[in-house]
Amino acid sequence: MKAMADSSFKSRPTIFDEFSLKGRVGLVTGGNRGLGLEMALVLCEAGAKAVYCLDLPTDPSGEWKATREHIRRMENGSRLEYISIDVTNQQEVWKVGTEIGNKERRMDVCIAAAGILKAEKDSLHYPADEFQEVMAVNTNGVLYTAQAAGQQMTRFGNKGSIILIASMSGSLTNRDMAWVSYNTSKSAVLQMARSMACELASKDIRVNSLSPGHIYTKMTAAYLDTQPGLLEKWSDLNPMGRIGRPDELRGVIAWLASDASSFCTGSDIVVNGGHHSW
């Protein structure tokens, strides 16, 4: 080691350099609010020069605008961009990916976080159109997003990290919750990540999935805030005795997006307070 050979050498920690995204470009679907926006913020804080948030609303939310201003005031050269798009339209998603590539001349990180959750319905009478709607967003949209980013990573020859947001619901069934469409869609995402990881490893593109447990977001609030006792019930389903916060996924996202996880691909990272452990 240089420290042993040269008495004048001054050591410094390098671990945080591995988490740096300085100069890199990211794409996040579902980035208008909630988990997607939190993840986009993480990329910016890690130094990404541009992070594109793709979501369905024509105009970004107040939450998104406040986050953009927060990022601007960090003065680290990072910027947040917003693009309105329907992730179920493959050609449009590919087109946006190409446009971002044309502008930035690279693509480094993709987080496919757009997803929907429908009200509980009996699996034996689940309507076909609603099942197809959930699959279109949660599975097809994730594939189209990964394709769009992967095409640009390949085009510019820079290694990349694709993170597909799945759910613990893809590996287990939420107790007493009739979510056959959601669970099925997330299970497909897990296999999608493994399949793409094997195919794209030779291009130095890593693909992993992230499976959160019960996290308090606007999507889950639709259940928790209207059903007395449900928060306590969900909290009691894991050893930690509570549900998670969106910010508790930040560290995993920073790791997966960066070179700190350079030997990790085809993996599913579970963050659920130990829900699966008993």
Side-chain angles (χ1 to χ4, degrees):
M1 293 177 63
K2 194 169 183 178
M4 292 289 290
D6 183 356
S7 60
S8 65
F9 176 75
K10 292 186 177 181
S11 302
R12 71 174 186 86
T14 60
I15 181 62
F16 296 111
D17 295 342
E18 298 175 29
F19 285 86
S20 174
L21 297 177
K22 186 176 181 179
R24 302 187 190 184
V25 174
L27 181 160
V28 181
T29 59
N32 185 44
R33 60 185 176 92
L35 292 181
L37 181 56
E38 186 77 37
M39 293 170 183
L41 173 59
V42 170
L43 302 186
C44 290
E45 289 188 3
K49 71 173 184 176
V51 177
Y52 288 79
C53 296
L54 281 55
D55 215 322
L56 190 58
T58 302
D59 298 311
S61 65
E63 182 183 355
W64 186 91
K65 293 176 182 177
T67 303
R68 179 183 59 181
E69 179 62 15
H70 170 73
I71 291 168
R72 186 186 70 81
R73 295 190 185 190
M74 288 194 303
E75 297 183 344
N76 69 343
S78 185
R79 72 180 194 276
L80 201 62
E81 304 279 358
Y82 184 82
I83 298 175
S84 173
I85 192 171
D86 180 353
V87 296
T88 67
N89 187 323
Q90 185 184 50
Q91 293 305 313
E92 283 299 309
V93 176
W94 287 11
K95 180 182 177 183
V96 165
T98 299
E99 290 172 350
I100 295 172
N102 289 343
K103 181 178 180 180
E104 305 292 346
R105 308 309 298 173
R106 65 183 301 132
M107 180 69 72
D108 301 274
V109 182
C110 168
I111 303 177
I116 59 175
L117 174 65
K118 292 292 188 178
E120 296 181 78
K121 284 187 174 66
D122 173 13
S123 62
L124 296 183
H125 300 92
Y126 204 97
D129 58 345
E130 192 166 303
F131 189 89
Q132 290 164 0
E133 180 185 359
V134 173
M135 295 296 291
V137 176
N138 293 5
T139 303
N140 298 5
V142 167
L143 173 63
Y144 304 157
T145 302
Q147 289 174 325
Q151 288 168 8
Q152 300 311 306
M153 293 171 183
T154 302
R155 174 186 176 191
F156 295 108
N158 59 275
K159 60 185 179 182
S161 174
I162 297 175
I163 306 167
L164 309 185
I165 306 304
S167 169
M168 69 174 184
S169 303
S171 301
L172 55 84
T173 301
N174 302 85
R175 186 172 181 176
D176 299 326
M177 304 304 292
W179 288 344
V180 66
S181 61
Y182 184 81
N183 297 349
T184 302
S185 70
K186 293 301 185 177
S187 181
V189 170
L190 297 178
Q191 183 65 351
M192 185 188 302
R194 289 188 287 263
S195 299
M196 295 189 77
C198 293
E199 186 175 342
L200 298 180
S202 62
K203 300 177 183 291
D204 212 3
I205 297 173
R206 298 182 295 109
V207 186
N208 293 285
S209 57
L210 171 58
S211 287
H214 289 310
I215 307 289
Y216 190 86
T217 65
K218 289 185 177 180
M219 185 170 72
T220 56
Y223 289 89
L224 293 171
D225 295 350
T226 59
Q227 299 185 40
L230 187 58
L231 176 59
E232 290 75 17
K233 180 177 179 179
W234 281 10
S235 297
D236 194 46
L237 291 173
N238 69 67
M240 296 187 75
R242 64 177 178 85
I243 67 171
R245 304 185 309 269
D247 63 279
E248 292 181 301
L249 299 173
R250 289 166 54 88
V252 175
I253 288 296
W255 177 67
L256 286 175
S258 70
D259 294 341
S261 60
S262 59
F263 197 52
C264 181
T265 195
S267 295
D268 180 47
I269 311 302
V270 180
V271 183
N272 67 2
H275 186 117
H276 64 293
S277 297
W278 60 12

